[in-house]
């Protein structure tokens, strides 16, 4: 079995981020690392974040830093990854790509303790960069420029110290003196030697300064002194005349200013009043703002509170350190403060946000200062504050993030064309259930009812230079309605259009006249109001029309074509007639190319399943240049000029090519390239869009021509980052559409459907899915589908949290304490859910839940009606129980029908070691049509039930290392049979017929057979490789798909002969008495597929995402990405793609220096999987490289692109 792996949605979580002027010029961009993807983002003028570039690097990005050589205009990015190399990237504006400027190897690949890459610090003047490991090694590279002003990099200078752990590295700002780097270090050499553990308790962290002597080209330890053992982060303080220099050390509960030869200046970090005393406060991310002489820091704590830190200083002497409460936003992994007044917050979990500054915290607020630091017997006296609503920041945009996907199912619950993906995402108060649909999101601007059912709609400008459209023209069966676009849209009667007839086409002719084509003629409305009419000869009527600004072709009934051109005086002149063999099905003329007088091509579709290209040149007017036969009669044609190829900000500069697009009556969109010189057709592609014949329209997207295809759902074909994408829009069926531009909505679409006129715009381009989010209460763990009622049942649980009632009581107290008068009215409103936004001064989503002791859990079971998004039942679990597993089960005894089983644990603790008070299995029955739950009984068990599954009218439970079969009793569940031979902890159970596939937490899969006559469970096969399972899925009778916690996906299969033997053996004796191998089962499964994804996979499912598409395995990961494995159906495809992959590996090595083959084989050699993400980088290669690879494969580049498109269309 060979699989094609393709990422459908790139990771949405962020590991680290940095900002700078990477494009050059005044603007600032943000570079974010999402695991193995680098993205370049920029806020546009309206404050929406746009993705300029997104690139797979096939390696784990661990750290990013930005630097600029003195006097240069643009910034470079330094990347620390798992490649054992330091890589410096520069953004290339012409190609819209990152160029690798330098790549220096210093160690082995992989994330290792002593190989640098985890920490990066850059000298503020851009003269040197330090890259450090978690332990022992630190390397310094000197950066400079050569005579041609190119960046140069020196050999590495070592700043190693063995037996030393590093917690953080930062540069010290010394102006133009020798560069200095600071590190928090812990020496463990004594702790290693001392068996009593005393030395380990006494180990002390140190702050160490390393100086790079640029003259001697050597790094020396300059200064070291002990600091707080809670120190976790260093922040560079501006120096060299702009500030005092030195470093801020962020430690548990404190921020300390330190510098060589300067006394410590220490201040406590204010803490929330409701925080338990055992919890400290740590700083997790920081943003620095510096203008000429003013600077301040924004520090965010692990609870989401941001503090503004300022230093009072005289030259180099700091006299006071102030920490003032600023605002509270969800916890981030990194914050970027842009010069334009934006703060980009890359959230740890849930959506990322872009905030705008309303103020910079000058108003009085809770403040702690080094001057007012009080020392008591217990230690330093804390300062308390109460979080409040946003005062200094305002959110203006958010970027959706699915991180982490906890569980996922692909089901078509809404009877749509394509199934929906239901994913449980997020953590704590920011958790949600996301419903993903393949397609682009739409934002609807207006919907208005019309006085009948319209058949078509157009928009026209009055003058070619106008920015906005002047009229919307709607055609009905026997009339035409003209609407004028202004502040409002209203009907007008003085436009010159004939309104007593339906229209076939309305457009702008020449520079400033309008044309209306109706069945009996052409009406040409001049700018000064004069009207010219051309009437059809005899009894014939016009049936089809195609036009651009200077040319019009009409088709009369019977198949006669008449061609008109606009002459210099602005008159429409008849040029040529041509008889076609039969009626014309559709027509289109290409737009007039820049600097030409006419377009050369006319496309005509006939009912005999052909499309002809006719010439409009005066020399060979109406001659047929080429004929293309298609599978069904064409319904609609569109000639689209596409500036193909890669370059510029989002794609193109090479000579344009013209695409002929045809919508056929069988629902297929047919695309082919028209040769600009000869008119020949080549490189045809087709794709099934829906059950209705697609109608094609031209629209504007980001200032470029795009194609709207209206089939049983609308599709948009557009160019994004150099690739042509054809993506469905998540909207209802539309009849007819036109592009729309007004001052409220620059790039919209106006469309008719039913008796309504709709105006909408297309949101974020380039995305594969759009999503609807339903907020949840706690971190979601798992969910199941109630099979008959189409309801979702999910379990949610959070550690260290209070239950809803306790939170409500605490909030009441807190509001009363804040003097909000009567707190009762407030909470009542909360419970009724009346417009919570207004009522709730402190939404949990933003502030997080108040923290409890680590042994306390809050958990609930929720029944959700997915169509409306309503929760029909929510059961909070009482006395410190938390739910961990769930399944629906039908017992033999049909008394209750479908029941719900939930596995829970009471008082679970992980630290210092895992222990719990009790485990239970709850059985609930569904009441009022499945919408609510009632507890039948709960059964105490001797472990935590982490896996439950229905099996032959009974319940299978994995409790610790025991697999047990239960049946339903009156008071509790009754044990029927068990097997205690599993190695560690059972975390997944799948069943098929009488086989049970059990997943162990660290020993992969075990195949179990249940023998009913003996009532015994036998393990007859297991895996020879230890695997820490995170997800599993049953593929077929002998095959399981699994994923482990190191980011690998693998398939195991039981050899056919073993499988047959097990099934045929009537006595079961073979299984029972045969001795196991390697302390395991008698048979071993074979690994048939292995692939390293580079991200922990949390859920796998077999599904088909498109009607008639192939079944694939869909996976979701912790970083919030979705991907698919598609099995190949032909040997020829396998050969083609494996050769393409091989050439891509050689010609286009990954950006961050990791070897592609080694990356995909990080833990086990990659087996029988072709990496589609690498193959899909083919269009981004230089054209000569594309031709070189294509020649090696005996293909043309066009054929390779077509293959890539075809296989992608099989998946989504």
């Amino acid at each position: 079995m060979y699989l094609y792996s393709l990422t459908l949605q790139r990771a949405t979580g962020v590991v680290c981020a940095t900002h700078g002027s990477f494009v050059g010029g005044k603007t600032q961009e943000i570079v974010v690392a999402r695991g193995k993807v680098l993205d370049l983002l920029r806020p546009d003028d309206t404050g929406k974040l746009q993705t300029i570039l997104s690139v797979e690097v096939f390696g784990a990005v661990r750290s990013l830093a930005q630097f600029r050589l003195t006097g240069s205009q643009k910034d470079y990015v330094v990347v620390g990854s798992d490649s054992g190399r330091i890589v410096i990237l520069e953004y290339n504006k012409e190609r819209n790509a990152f160029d690798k400027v330098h790549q220096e190897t210093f160690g082995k690949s992989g994330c290792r303790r002593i190989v640098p890459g985890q920490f990066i610090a850059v000298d503020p003047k851009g003269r040197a960069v330090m890259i450090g490991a978690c332990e022992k090694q630190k390397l310094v590279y000197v950066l400079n420029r050569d005579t041609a002003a190119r960046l140069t990099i020196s050999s590495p200078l070592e700043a190693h110290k063995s037996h030393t752990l590093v917690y953080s590295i930062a540069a010290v700002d010394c102006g133009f003196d020798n560069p200095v780097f600071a590190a928090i270090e812990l020496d463990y050499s004594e702790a290693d030697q001392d068996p009593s553990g005393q030395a380990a308790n006494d180990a002390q962290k140190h702050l160490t300064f390393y100086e790079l002597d640029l003259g001697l080209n050597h790094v020396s330890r300059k200064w070291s002194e002990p600091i707080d053992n809670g120190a976790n982060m260093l922040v560079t303080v501006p120096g060299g005349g702009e500030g005092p220099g030195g470093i801020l050390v962020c430690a548990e509960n404190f921020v300390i200013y330190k510098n060589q030869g300067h006394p410590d200046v220490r201040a406590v970090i204010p803490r929330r009043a409701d925080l338990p005393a055992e919890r400290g406060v740590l700083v997790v991310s920081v943003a620095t703002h510096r203008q000429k002489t003013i600077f301040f820091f924004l520090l965010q704590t692990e609870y989401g509170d941001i503090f503004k830190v300022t230093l009072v200083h005289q030259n180099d002497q700091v006299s006071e350190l102030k920490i003032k409460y600023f605002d509270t936003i969800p916890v981030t992994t990194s914050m970027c403060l842009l010069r334009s007044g934006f703060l980009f917050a890359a959230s740890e979990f849930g959506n990322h946000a872009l905030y705008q500054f309303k103020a910079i915290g000058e108003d009085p607020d809770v403040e702690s200062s080094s001057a007012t630091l009080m020392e008591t017997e217990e230690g330093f006296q804390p300062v308390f504050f109460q979080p409040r609503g946003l005062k200094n920041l305002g959110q203006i945009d958010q970027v959706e993030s699915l991180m982490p996907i906890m569980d996922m199912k692909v089901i078509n619950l809404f009877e749509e064309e394509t199934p929906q993906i239901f994913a449980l995402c997020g953590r704590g108060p920011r958790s949600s259930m996301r419903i993903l649909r393949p397609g682009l999101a739409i934002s609807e601007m207006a919907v208005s009812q019309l006085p009948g059912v319209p058949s078509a709609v157009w928009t026209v400008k009055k003058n070619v230079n106008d920015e906005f459209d002047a009229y919307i023209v709607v055609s009905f069966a026997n009339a035409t309605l003209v609407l004028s676009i202004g502040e409002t849209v209203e009907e007008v009667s003085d436009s010159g259009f004939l309104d007593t007839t339906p229209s076939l086409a309305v457009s702008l002719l020449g520079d400033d006249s309008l044309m209306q084509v109706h069945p009996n003629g052409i009406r040409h409305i001049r700018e000064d109001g004069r009207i010219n009419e051309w009437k059809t000869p005899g009894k014939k009527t016009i049936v089809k029309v195609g036009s651009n600004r200077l040319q019009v072709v009409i088709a009369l009934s019977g198949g006669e074509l008449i061609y008109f051109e606009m002459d210099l005086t602005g008159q429409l002149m008849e040029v040529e007639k041509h008889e076609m063999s039969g009626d014309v099905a559709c027509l289109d003329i290409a737009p007039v190319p820049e600097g030409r007088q006419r377009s050369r091509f006319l496309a005509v579709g006939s009912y005999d399943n052909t499309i002809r290209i006719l010439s409009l040149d005066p020399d060979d007017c109406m001659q047929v240049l080429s004929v293309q036969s298609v599978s069904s009669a064409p319904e609609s044609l569109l000639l689209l000029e596409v500036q193909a190829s890669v370059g510029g900000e989002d794609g193109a500069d090479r000579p344009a090519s013209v695409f002929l697009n045809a919508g056929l009556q069988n629902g297929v969109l047919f695309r082919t390239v028209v040769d600009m010189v000869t008119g020949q057709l080549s490189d045809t592609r087709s794709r099934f869009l829906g059950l209705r014949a697609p109608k094609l329209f031209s629209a504007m997207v980001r200032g470029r021509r795009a194609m709207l295809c209206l089939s049983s759902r609308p599709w948009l074909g557009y160019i994004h980052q150099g690739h042509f994408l054809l993506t469905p829009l998540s909207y209802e069926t539309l009849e007819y559409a036109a592009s729309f531009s007004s001052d409220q909505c620059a790039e919209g679409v106006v469309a008719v459907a039913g008796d309504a006129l709709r105006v909408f715009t297309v949101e974020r381009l380039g995305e594969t899915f759009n999503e609807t989010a339903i907020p949840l209460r706690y971190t979601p763990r798992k969910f199941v589908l109630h099979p008959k009622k189409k309801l979702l049942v999910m379990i949610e649980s959070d550690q260290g949290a209070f239950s809803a009632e306790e939170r409500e009581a605490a909030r009441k107290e807190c509001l009363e304490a804040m003097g909000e008068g009567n707190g009762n009215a407030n909470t009542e409103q909360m419970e009724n859910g009346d417009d919570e936004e207004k009522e709730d001064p402190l939404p949990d989503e933003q502030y997080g839940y108040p923290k409890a002791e680590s042994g306390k859990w809050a958990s609930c079971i929720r029944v959700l009606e997915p169509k409306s998004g309503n929760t029909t039942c929510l059961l909070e679990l009482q006395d410190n129980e938390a739910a961990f597993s769930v399944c629906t089960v039908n017992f033999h005894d049909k008394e209750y029908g479908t029941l719900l089983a939930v596995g829970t644990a009471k008082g679970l603790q992980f630290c210092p070691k895992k222990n719990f008070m009790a485990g239970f299995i709850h059985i609930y029955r569904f009441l009022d049509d499945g919408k609510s739950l009632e507890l039948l009984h709960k059964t105490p068990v001797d472990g935590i039930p982490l896996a439950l599954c229905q099996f032959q009218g009974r319940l299978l439970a994995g409790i610790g290392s025991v697999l047990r079969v239960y049946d339903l009793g009156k008071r509790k569940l009754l044990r029927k049979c068990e097997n205690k031979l599993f190695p560690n902890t059972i975390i997944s159970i799948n069943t098929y017929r009488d086989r049970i596939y059990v997943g162990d937490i660290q020993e992969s899969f075990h195949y179990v057979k249940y023998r009913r006559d003996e009532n015994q469970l036998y393990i007859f096969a297991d895996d020879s490789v230890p695997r820490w399972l995170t997800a599993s899925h049953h593929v077929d009778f002998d095959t399981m798909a699994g994923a482990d916690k190191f980011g690998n996906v693998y398939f195991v299969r039981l050899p056919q002969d073993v499988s047959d033997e097990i099934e045929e053996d009537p006595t079961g004796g073979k299984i029972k008495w045969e001795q196991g191998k390697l302390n395991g089962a008698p048979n071993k499964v074979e690994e048939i597929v292995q692939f390293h994804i580079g991200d922990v996979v949390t859920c796998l499912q077999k599904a088909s995402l498109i009607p008639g598409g192939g079944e694939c395995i869909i996976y979701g990961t912790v970083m919030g990405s979705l991907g698919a494995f598609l099995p190949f159906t032909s040997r020829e495809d396998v050969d083609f793609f494996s050769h393409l992959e091989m050439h891509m590996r050689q010609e286009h090595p990954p950006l961050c220096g990791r070897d592609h083959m080694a990356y995909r084989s990080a833990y086990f050699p990659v087996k029988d999987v072709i990496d589609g993400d690498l193959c899909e980088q083919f269009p981004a290669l230089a054209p000569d490289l594309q031709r070189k690879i294509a020649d090696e494969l005996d293909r043309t580049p066009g054929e390779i692109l077509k293959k890539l498109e075809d296989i992608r269309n099989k998946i989504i």
Side-chain angles (χ1 to χ4, degrees), residues 1050-1067:
Y1050 68 105
F1051 285 46
V1052 292
R1053 180 170 283 172
L1054 191 65
Q1056 192 59 51
D1057 50 337
V1058 177
S1059 180
D1060 296 344
E1061 202 173 286
I1062 301 287
E1063 291 309 302
E1064 285 160 9
D1065 179 15
T1067 61

Side-chain angles (χ1 to χ4, degrees), residues 61-334:
V61 179
R62 297 152 75 190
S63 51
L64 288 175
Q66 138 291 330
F67 74 91
R68 169 183 295 209
L69 293 172
T70 316
S72 85
Q73 289 308 304
K74 66 188 284 191
D75 293 349
Y76 296 92
V77 195
V78 195
V79 184
S81 67
D82 64 347
S83 62
R85 295 169 162 158
I86 185 170
V87 171
I88 297 180
L89 304 175
E90 176 183 18
Y91 176 70
N92 181 331
K93 197 169 170 181
E94 282 64 54
R95 286 192 21 249
N96 185 32
F98 281 123
D99 288 344
K100 200 187 301 182
V101 189
H102 283 295
Q103 170 177 304
E104 296 292 321
T105 310
F106 49 66
K108 287 181 173 167
S109 62
C111 295
R112 299 165 189 265
R113 274 173 26 189
I114 64 163
V115 178
Q118 187 64 33
F119 304 107
I120 286 187
V122 176
D123 174 62
K125 293 283 184 268
R127 296 167 301 165
V129 54
M130 176 182 263
I131 182 163
C134 306
E135 201 176 312
K136 187 178 175 182
Q137 296 193 16
K138 288 186 285 299
L139 297 171
V140 177
Y141 287 90
V142 181
L143 305 167
N144 214 325
R145 50 159 80 97
D146 61 12
T147 47
R150 286 190 304 255
L151 177 72
T152 60
I153 189 166
S154 72
S155 316
L157 306 170
E158 296 186 356
H160 300 343
K161 188 165 190 299
S162 56
H163 299 96
T164 303
L165 300 176
V166 174
Y167 291 86
S168 177
I169 289 180
V172 181
D173 193 344
C174 321
F176 285 105
D177 294 346
N178 280 336
V180 173
F181 296 96
I184 301 177
E185 298 182 342
L186 179 73
D187 187 328
Y188 64 81
S189 51
E190 288 170 12
D192 260 4
Q193 311 301 324
D194 175 20
S196 69
Q198 186 55 40
N201 291 339
D202 298 343
Q204 176 66 42
K205 285 185 185 175
H206 283 73
L207 176 69
T208 310
F209 278 23
Y210 290 92
E211 182 177 25
L212 163 66
D213 192 320
L214 289 170
L216 297 171
N217 219 13
H218 170 73
V219 182
S220 57
R221 295 190 60 171
K222 184 180 179 189
W223 175 69
S224 178
E225 81 166 19
I227 50 167
D228 250 80
N229 262 349
N232 68 316
M233 192 180 233
L234 297 177
V235 184
T236 306
V237 177
E242 293 176 11
I247 209 100
L248 277 186
V249 180
C250 304
E252 194 171 8
N253 301 325
F254 298 104
V255 175
I256 309 149
Y257 171 81
K258 289 181 94 75
N259 202 350
Q260 190 175 358
H262 190 290
D264 289 2
V265 184
R266 170 191 297 255
V268 295
I269 303 174
R271 54 190 290 135
R272 293 191 183 185
D274 59 4
L275 204 59
E278 64 180 46
R279 282 180 179 266
V281 182
L282 283 174
V283 171
V284 291
S285 67
V286 61
T288 309
H289 170 76
R290 50 196 297 184
Q291 269 170 326
K292 301 213 166 52
T293 51
I294 315 162
F295 62 89
F296 62 82
F297 309 95
L298 294 180
L299 269 51
Q300 188 184 33
T301 68
E302 57 192 314
Y303 307 113
D305 305 312
I306 298 181
F307 296 97
K308 177 184 173 182
V309 175
T310 47
L311 297 174
V312 179
H313 65 98
Q314 201 71 41
N315 296 337
D316 290 353
Q317 292 301 308
V318 174
S319 54
E320 192 180 3
L321 169 67
K322 296 181 182 172
I323 306 182
K324 182 193 278 188
Y325 176 52
F326 189 75
D327 261 332
T328 300
I329 64 171
V331 184
T332 62
T333 50
S334 54

Side-chain angles (χ1 to χ4, degrees), residues 987 1001 1028-1032 1042-1048 1096-1099:
I987 60 158
I1001 195 165
W1028 293 75
L1029 275 188
T1030 55
S1032 63
D1044 69 22
K1045 71 172 187 182
F1046 303 109
N1048 304 303
V1096 183
V1097 172
T1098 53
C1099 37

